[in-house]
Amino acid sequence: MGRERADGCTGFRVAAGAVVVVGAALVAAGVFTPDERPGRVLVMAGVVGAYAAVVADLRAVAAVAALGAAVFVGFLAHRHGELTGPGDAWSQAVPIGFAAVLGTGYRHLRSIGAEARPVTRITAHGGGVKSASRNRRRA
């Protein structure tokens, strides 16, 4: 799953994910006030989950999820990039990691479905089904 693209482009994928995360943080900061942390974390989680659903490289997904959580805690929950400030900002960042896991699972399930062979039906003259699928073994 994560090793299907071992072509050395992980850095480019992480850089693209970083741009997406920073853009999402700017949108979240512009739309929600500092007191509306749930809205801000949902924007970040949605973007990280969508990124994980598109990118196959698990290392890039993990790096972007960690960056998304750090940006949320440092700039959206606290101010000035402070990662150790007061409050429970790290516990509020858990949905970002959960969204990355869901996006990766969605991508994996979608890739399994793409590999399945299509089902065909062959009907006889009487309307009965001779073979319901090409996936069955021949006896």
Side-chain angles (χ1 to χ4, degrees):
M1 186 167 78
R3 300 211 179 234
E4 29 187 84
R5 294 198 176 185
D7 55 2
C9 291
T10 301
F12 291 114
R13 291 184 189 101
V14 172
V19 169
V20 169
V21 164
V22 169
L26 290 174
V27 168
V31 172
F32 297 103
T33 64
D35 295 333
E36 297 176 320
R37 282 189 192 172
R40 289 180 168 199
V41 77
L42 286 178
V43 169
M44 297 298 289
V47 167
V48 169
Y51 179 83
V54 173
V55 175
D57 191 352
L58 292 179
R59 295 171 294 187
V61 170
V64 169
L67 179 66
V71 166
F72 169 75
V73 170
F75 294 102
L76 296 176
H78 300 133
R79 294 187 182 220
H80 311 296
E82 188 176 323
L83 296 176
T84 59
D88 57 349
W90 282 107
S91 64
Q92 290 179 349
V94 170
I96 296 171
F98 185 65
V101 170
L102 285 179
T104 302
Y106 172 75
R107 185 183 190 305
H108 179 67
L109 289 176
R110 197 176 67 202
S111 70
I112 290 173
E115 295 171 3
R117 292 171 36 179
V119 174
T120 58
R121 291 185 178 263
I122 302 171
T123 58
H125 293 291
V129 177
K130 288 184 178 178
S131 173
S133 173
R134 286 191 273 171
N135 294 329
R136 288 188 177 183
R137 288 190 211 173
R138 295 189 177 164

